[in-house]
Amino acid sequence: MSTLPSLDELLTTARVVALPLATRFRGIDVREAMLIEGPNGWSEFSPFTEYGDAEASVWLAGAVDFGWADAAPARRGEVRVNATVPAVAADAVAGVLARFDGCRTAKVKVAEPGQTLADDVARVAAVRAALGAEGRIRVDANGAWNVDEAEHAIHALAEFDLEYAEQPCASIDELAELRGRVKYMGIPIAADESVRKADDPLRVARAGAADILIVKAQPLGGVHRALEIVAQAGLPAVVSSALDTSVGLSMGTALAAALPDHDYDCGLGTSALFTSDVCDPALSPRGGVLQVGRVSPSAERLDALRVSPERDGWWRERLARCHAVLSASDR
């Protein structure tokens, strides 16, 4: 991380917004985020509201890295992205996919609380029907299955030619066991939470618990730190968003553009899940790709999407606490 700016410097430009979602996603209908302007341009601090200060402070390090540190060298000017399909009914899939222009890959959320494996199978089947035989499908369970449930589910979904299964189980030990059980099927296991929420993000690679890493710039402490993790892990990486605004997505494109390989479409098309964004136009897929480069929020959109004074105060107090955490770690 670059030298930590003062708290006053961060607070001076901070703007807090609330973006409405077109479909309920990750249990929320509105996504809150704080945008901060640094010497390099706008950056984003948007840990989910339930995260504690220690975890959220890593996201602040990521925001500082993007707004204040030298940019990582880009190897490409655009990145291919996937569509993201929330845990909607099968008959709603086509409408969701229509929001992602030209995407050849879809990540499908599965294992949603209150739903069954039959619901997941129907949703994935609808995605396969919409994308056709050449489309790529990956599923994401967010660690909701135990090993037996995950093995059963992957068997049930295998007929749809899965590209990989993302975080099917919560723990690294479970992922390692599951990977051994399903390896003969040729369906790779990808780790997300086991990387970004772990005290040691490299442990999943050392344990042989995953074939692919899902990396997100903010939760890993910034573009530079994420690149270090990928290099040390020695595994293929897929860059994804944390339901960011267009500003946060531009941070993700910077990470994807700096990776030596770009074999998998990135999960950076998620602005299509919002009904409104901070940039006009939003950083959304066009022909299945995003252009790499910084973006600036529209003053009009910042005003239209600003949160209540109470929520603004909550975020500013959170920023101050996370700044204190980072300041203490620098000593």
Side-chain angles (χ1 to χ4, degrees):
M1 188 184 74
S2 62
T3 301
L4 183 65
S6 70
L7 179 59
D8 285 344
E9 185 178 355
L10 295 173
L11 288 171
T12 297
T13 62
R15 299 290 300 271
V16 185
V17 294
L19 277 58
L21 286 152
T23 303
R24 189 170 181 83
F25 186 81
R26 205 186 170 278
I28 59 175
D29 299 299
V30 175
R31 176 71 163 117
E32 292 185 345
M34 174 180 275
L35 305 182
I36 306 168
E37 189 174 15
N40 296 336
W42 285 91
S43 191
E44 179 169 333
F45 171 58
S46 56
F48 291 100
T49 55
E50 68 269 22
Y51 290 0
D53 293 344
E55 184 173 358
S57 67
V58 181
W59 294 57
L60 179 56
V64 170
D65 177 81
F66 192 56
W68 276 259
D70 293 338
R75 298 169 183 260
R76 54 193 64 87
E78 64 181 25
V79 294
R80 291 202 64 94
V81 300
N82 65 251
T84 300
V85 180
V88 297
D91 60 6
V93 161
V96 172
L97 291 175
R99 301 176 66 89
F100 295 85
D101 180 65
C103 291
R104 64 185 181 182
T105 301
K107 179 169 84 168
V108 186
K109 290 291 185 177
V110 293
E112 182 79 0
Q115 294 191 4
T116 66
L117 179 57
D119 296 319
D120 295 336
V121 170
R123 185 180 312 111
V124 174
V127 173
R128 173 55 69 204
L131 291 182
E134 298 301 317
R136 307 177 185 185
I137 298 176
R138 52 188 69 159
V139 295
D140 180 10
N142 290 113
W145 290 321
N146 62 37
V147 176
D148 289 339
E149 290 169 336
E151 183 181 16
H152 179 60
I154 290 173
H155 274 280
L157 296 168
E159 65 175 290
F160 303 110
D161 189 21
L162 299 185
E163 184 179 36
Y164 60 76
E166 180 177 330
Q167 200 69 45
C169 304
S171 75
I172 290 175
D173 289 343
E174 288 175 315
L175 289 180
E177 181 181 349
L178 176 67
R179 183 169 176 254
R181 290 193 192 183
V182 302
K183 190 171 184 178
Y184 76 95
M185 300 175 65
I187 298 175
I189 300 299
D192 176 7
E193 286 87 348
S194 292
V195 178
R196 66 180 169 87
K197 295 178 75 70
D199 292 335
D200 178 3
L202 293 172
R203 184 178 160 231
V204 70
R206 287 197 300 268
D211 303 282
I212 299 165
L213 299 185
I214 309 298
V215 291
K216 301 179 180 180
Q218 263 198 93
L220 290 176
V223 171
H224 293 87
R225 177 58 181 143
L227 288 171
E228 291 174 2
I229 290 169
V230 172
Q232 292 174 38
L235 292 175
V238 180
V239 178
S240 191
S241 86
L243 202 56
D244 305 315
T245 75
S246 286
V247 172
L249 292 176
S250 71
M251 191 189 309
T253 66
L255 171 57
L259 288 173
D261 300 307
H262 186 53
D263 298 329
Y264 294 93
D265 294 350
C266 301
L268 297 172
T270 50
S271 68
L273 297 174
F274 297 122
T275 61
S276 185
D277 204 338
V278 295
C279 295
D280 190 13
L283 186 59
S284 297
R286 297 290 183 270
V289 302
L290 291 181
Q291 299 303 310
V292 175
R294 290 183 175 273
V295 299
S296 296
S298 152
E300 292 78 10
R301 301 311 307 149
L302 288 176
D303 288 340
L305 295 168
R306 66 174 179 247
V307 296
S308 68
E310 293 76 17
R311 294 304 300 163
D312 185 80
W314 184 91
W315 274 93
R316 289 175 181 274
E317 290 173 2
R318 186 188 207 189
L319 176 65
R321 296 194 306 271
C322 291
H323 186 275
V325 171
L326 293 182
S327 296
S329 68
D330 282 346
R331 292 172 190 159

